Amino acid sequence: MSSIPDTPTLTLLTPVEDLPGAGPRAARGLRRLGIRCLADLVLHLPSRYERELAEATIAELSDQLGPEHGNTVNLAVRGEIATVQSRRGRTSRVEITLEDGTGTVRIIWFNMAWMARKIHPGMRIRAWGKGKRNGDVLELANPRWTPLDEQDDAGTSADERLVPIYSANDEITSATIEAIVGRVLDAALALLDDHLVDDYRASKEMPTLSDAYRLLHRPTSDGDIAEGRRRLAFDELLFLQLAVMMKRHHRRTACIAPELEFSDAIDEHIRARLPFTLTSYQDQVSRDIAHDLQRSVPMNRLLQGDVGAGKTAIALYAMLMAVASGHQAALMAPTELLAEQHEVSLRSMLDGGRVQIDLITGSLAPAVRRERLERIAAGDTDLIIGTHALLTESVEFNSLAAVVIDEQHRFGVHQRATLRSKANDEHSAPHVLVMTATPIPRTLSLTLFGDLDCSVIHGRPPGRQPITTTHVPLGAREQAYATVRAHLERGEQAYIVVPVIEKTDSALRDVATHLDWLRQGPLAGFNLEAMHGRLDRETRDDIMRRFRAGDVQALVATTVIEVGVDVPNATIIAIEHAERFGLAQLHQMRGRVGRGTQPSACILIGDPTTDDGIARVDALVETDDGFRIAEKDLEIRGPGELFGARQSGLPPFRVADIMRDLELLQMARRDATEWIQRSPRLDEPQDRLLRRRLLKAYGEALGLGDVA
Ligand code: ADP
Ligand code: MG
């Protein structure tokens, strides 16, 4: 047998420099795309496909076009460049003639002077685009084209062809990637083992892994692409579901949470602390939670409830159950302002009792912080309220039994895991309740939050008035503030939101300027204050206290008031440059009003110019149902951004699209659930490869290290 010295035996780890067809420049280009070895190249899927037209000879095309001037047709031709002329000027023009032995076509590129450097007489190319008859000649204007090397030129493509388009760069073109893939794909795929066993795969009517990659790199039809994608999308969804289920199983079996005491007396005691009677939905959720907390399986529950639905009372309920059993509970909020607000309201509800509360945020003076940390570690503090600062290592709890994470949409999987790990030892875990006002569409709750049990508080507490939302263009701003003024004159209060704290070059309103303008103009005579993240804690506290007491009538604020602030007498919110905020954020801000018994209003001030901006403002005016808003948001922004991969800490999907692939997602979820029940650690011999790939993909993000 003769050996070919310059074609090394390929393995999936063969570096790109050693791949046949990849010169140094191409290899550099590949590396810049993150492709280091053969396996990476196989994983580099086309980002889209172009339909390449069937080719015909120039004579055939001429017949097709007929004798009439001006007929146009989509066509593709190949041939040799006979002449090149270029003319510069206001509209530059590069003109060539292309011959294929049966006739001549004239090709013209307008305003692409650089084309003259890329082509030369004698070169063979393939060109495609819209052709037409111009007098006697066949003419092709601004066609797309590729040079043909000997290999490409082997035969004409008589059939339509789907051309894979790969993301590329200035050192390697999509066509070169296609050519390299063409030479190595079969060898690579022969080395690729499938992690799904044949029977299972066949029962899903899925192609093998190798076939799926082949279908996507070299499709012959749209059906091929769909089939290849279906398999790879399913794999991604299945992996995530398996990982999430594995984690959940591990947590439920390997970790023990404190079994909290519960009795009618405890229940009554807790309810007596609340200044209102729970609604039936709150009641149901509190019972679900009481049930969970009595068990040694750590609770992992998601509480969804629209802005103003009354989630804080539920948080308190869970936390007081921990305290009643002699343990500690923590409440984590996404902003300092919200943490402070929680502290204030919990203190007032628990006033006169024995429950000790401490606040931990990033801006505490070191001495104060140290003192509080000592109290917490000694178990002298019962309820700990804080921001991200709770996650730092120096925070040690004495006996943490329950953790509540407020406004989960601001946190990721990582943070949940960190707080959970604050239990006393590796085999114990606190009960966790995460709360969000951003309703999570079903598709997402199946993926990112797939390991959580869900509870929902529908509706709002009784006696609430609806919020009327209107859009006011910039030109009618004065009118908007006349409405605000009317509310203030009735003894009600207002929020006015602006996008920036300090003056910028743009025409955006900033806190200080806007405050001055309002004080001297439309809201003269009322007591207005600024509220933003750069104020120190004391100033912030003082202003919030006076606002709550009604001494300050309006806050001119940044989005710091977005979450959690709860002043029922505030009945109107005006949002400047509303189009600049996200939909969920606008909905949250609007939720600051409508908390009392007076009718409330939300005024969106701005001139949206983009489609998205207009859609957001319209959506808000149209509905104040948080679930509808979340769905709209998903439509406008797509799922990727909503609970961004960045935030979630999970690797993004390459192929799957949870909106489009809902059916696959449900199938993956069903199968993963069964699978993990049958084999919680995936340690059956036939699952070995699956398990290895799974841990590689999700082990770190989901902290599966301890499982494996
Ligand atoms: P969110 O779900 O947005 O966190 P909050 O817990 O801040 O909502 O509650 C919103 C407002 O509704 C608060 O003023 C709270 O005191 C009030 N509230 C909550 N539950 C009830 C209830 N069952 N009856 C009356 N008022 C309630
Ligand atoms: Mg809240």
Side-chain angles (χ1 to χ4, degrees), residues 312 406-407 564:
T312 315
D406 196 12
E407 303 302 344

Side-chain angles (χ1 to χ4, degrees), residues 306-610:
D306 204 349
V307 186
K311 296 182 292 295
T312 315
I314 302 298
L316 185 64
Y317 195 99
M319 293 193 292
L320 290 182
M321 264 190 72
V323 176
S325 294
H327 294 286
Q328 293 173 307
L331 170 61
M332 187 166 86
T335 64
E336 288 202 6
L337 186 67
L338 179 50
E340 291 158 8
Q341 295 306 296
H342 277 318
E343 186 200 4
V344 171
S345 63
L346 295 189
R347 274 194 200 286
S348 88
M349 284 191 253
L350 300 175
D351 191 32
R354 281 189 307 266
V355 179
Q356 295 299 311
I357 304 177
D358 265 318
L359 178 76
I360 298 287
T361 63
S363 58
L364 295 180
V368 175
R369 179 182 164 87
R370 204 172 323 118
E371 193 194 320
R372 292 188 187 170
L373 291 181
E374 277 166 18
R375 275 208 298 268
I376 294 169
D380 297 340
T381 309
D382 306 299
L383 295 190
I384 299 92
I385 299 163
T387 55
H388 286 89
L390 283 182
L391 300 175
T392 51
E393 266 169 31
S394 57
V395 183
E396 273 176 43
F397 295 90
N398 181 272
S399 170
L400 184 63
V403 168
V404 179
I405 302 177
D406 196 12
E407 303 302 344
Q408 157 79 26
H409 69 288
R410 301 291 202 83
F411 297 109
V413 176
H414 282 311
Q415 280 112 342
R416 253 199 276 156
T418 312
L419 252 190
R420 193 176 280 125
S421 70
K422 294 266 177 189
N424 301 356
D425 64 82
E426 58 177 316
H427 296 298
S428 52
H431 297 286
V432 176
L433 174 68
V434 300
M435 310 200 296
T436 178
T438 306
I440 299 167
R442 228 177 97 64
T443 45
L444 287 171
S445 66
L446 287 177
T447 51
L448 291 185
F449 300 93
D451 60 335
L452 299 169
D453 297 318
C454 287
S455 294
V456 181
I457 304 180
H458 293 281
R460 302 216 172 117
R464 291 303 176 73
Q465 301 289 327
I467 306 169
T468 313
T469 303
T470 46
H471 168 224
V472 170
L474 291 181
R477 189 182 257 143
E478 306 267 345
Q479 205 181 307
Y481 287 106
T483 311
V484 174
R485 191 176 177 93
H487 279 249
L488 300 190
E489 278 166 355
R490 290 201 294 269
E492 297 162 14
Q493 289 166 285
Y495 300 99
I496 293 139
V497 180
V498 294
V500 289
I501 300 182
E502 269 163 18
K503 213 168 180 50
T504 56
D505 324 334
S506 62
L508 295 181
R509 294 262 159 157
D510 63 275
V511 173
T513 316
H514 200 54
L515 183 60
D516 277 351
W517 181 76
L518 289 169
R519 273 177 177 158
Q520 280 154 33
L523 302 183
F526 289 103
N527 202 0
L528 317 181
E529 291 287 357
M531 173 56 60
H532 55 76
R534 294 216 200 123
L535 298 174
D536 61 40
R537 163 91 208 244
E538 266 153 53
T539 315
R540 236 165 25 211
D541 264 0
D542 180 55
I543 294 172
M544 285 313 295
R545 196 175 39 70
R546 289 191 290 132
F547 186 63
R548 223 174 290 113
D551 299 339
V552 169
Q553 279 97 47
L555 293 180
V556 179
T558 56
T559 55
V560 290
I561 58 121
E562 175 184 347
V563 284
V565 177
D566 182 35
V567 177
N569 191 46
T571 56
I572 186 163
I573 181 166
I575 304 173
E576 289 279 347
H577 305 285
E579 73 282 358
R580 298 181 57 89
F581 299 106
L583 197 46
Q585 204 176 15
L586 287 168
H587 180 63
Q588 285 278 350
M589 291 196 273
R590 174 169 61 182
R592 293 314 107 212
V593 299
R595 293 178 166 250
T597 49
Q598 298 304 311
S600 287
C602 169
I603 306 182
L604 306 171
I605 304 171
D607 290 335
T609 48
T610 62

